Amino acid sequence: MRCHMILRVLPIILLLGSAAAADDPVGRGDAMPDLVLAAPQDPALKAYLGLKGAGAFELQDIDARLVIVEIFSMYCPHCQREAPVVNRLYRLLHENERWRDTVKLIGIGVGNSPYEVNFFRETYEIPFPLFADGDFVIHKALKKPRTPYFLVLRREADGKMEIVDTRLGGFGDPAGFLRSILKKSGLGD
């Protein structure tokens, strides 16, 4: 009887396991999908990214050697808890002359409208650019990562962005996270 039950359940377990593996989000070594974002309306945020002109832009248009992308949702309790830590990472980058113009940080609110992203920005006093992905287009292109999910992108000689690191969940110590990603990207000491 037990053997019969195991034989019934085993195909389901295998199917779920293979579905989970097929849905792994983009990671190190994967090609970074082309993502189009609306340019920030705030001139300071636009200047922070080094964007010229108006309208939409792609990640490779950001004037930086490294771009850290946080995938978040305003409804994610882990993202809410991590917001002050990510703000400390931004300040660490912004206050360091060496990294201020080399590393940029942005956030993409998956399933969040512009109103929800703005609510998150105001509630957690987010100083870096946040973008809405209300229709999950970016989320799907990234193979549906859970939140928070961090992508570290390095600009290559051809201008394309390569994924050099990813992290699911919080990173705890901003200085340690920065050292780790700089080393993995070849920019660390």
Side-chain angles (χ1 to χ4, degrees):
M1 183 72 151
R2 282 187 185 178
C3 184
H4 200 281
M5 179 63 107
I6 290 172
L7 290 175
R8 284 186 179 178
V9 174
L10 187 58
I12 295 169
I13 291 170
L14 292 174
L15 179 63
L16 291 174
S18 66
D23 287 335
D24 286 345
V26 294
R28 185 176 188 170
D30 289 338
M32 183 61 191
D34 293 327
L35 304 179
V36 178
L37 301 167
Q41 297 298 312
D42 182 334
L45 294 177
K46 195 171 178 181
Y48 166 75
L49 296 176
L51 299 175
K52 311 272 188 277
F57 72 98
E58 295 180 11
L59 292 178
Q60 61 259 27
D61 296 331
I62 296 174
D63 187 18
R65 181 68 207 262
L66 282 183
V67 177
I68 303 168
V69 180
E70 178 188 16
I71 305 300
F72 74 96
S73 171
M74 74 162 276
Y75 299 105
C76 167
H78 306 292
C79 301
Q80 295 166 7
R81 271 193 307 277
E82 192 70 6
V85 178
V86 180
N87 284 346
R88 286 197 301 275
L89 174 64
Y90 169 81
R91 284 193 297 278
L92 184 66
L93 293 168
H94 190 70
E95 293 168 0
N96 183 311
E97 282 188 45
R98 181 174 181 191
W99 303 120
R100 181 180 306 139
D101 295 326
T102 305
V103 184
K104 300 297 178 176
L105 177 62
I106 68 168
I108 299 174
V110 296
N112 296 162
S113 68
Y115 175 83
E116 291 164 319
V117 166
N118 194 50
F119 182 85
F120 189 85
R121 176 191 338 274
E122 290 175 1
T123 301
Y124 298 101
E125 300 176 359
I126 308 296
F128 53 89
L130 299 179
F131 302 92
D133 181 31
D135 53 8
F136 293 97
V137 169
I138 293 170
H139 189 242
K140 289 174 188 168
L142 298 174
K143 300 182 184 174
K144 304 177 184 177
R146 293 179 311 203
T147 58
Y149 190 71
F150 295 89
L151 293 139
V152 180
L153 311 174
R154 179 182 60 207
R155 179 180 309 287
E156 296 302 306
D158 63 2
K160 298 231 181 229
M161 301 301 263
E162 176 187 351
I163 302 170
V164 294
D165 197 19
T166 61
R167 180 173 306 226
L168 174 62
F171 51 79
D173 172 33
F177 178 65
L178 181 58
R179 278 191 303 275
S180 172
I181 65 172
L182 291 173
K183 183 176 180 181
K184 288 178 182 178
S185 67
L187 297 179
D189 296 329

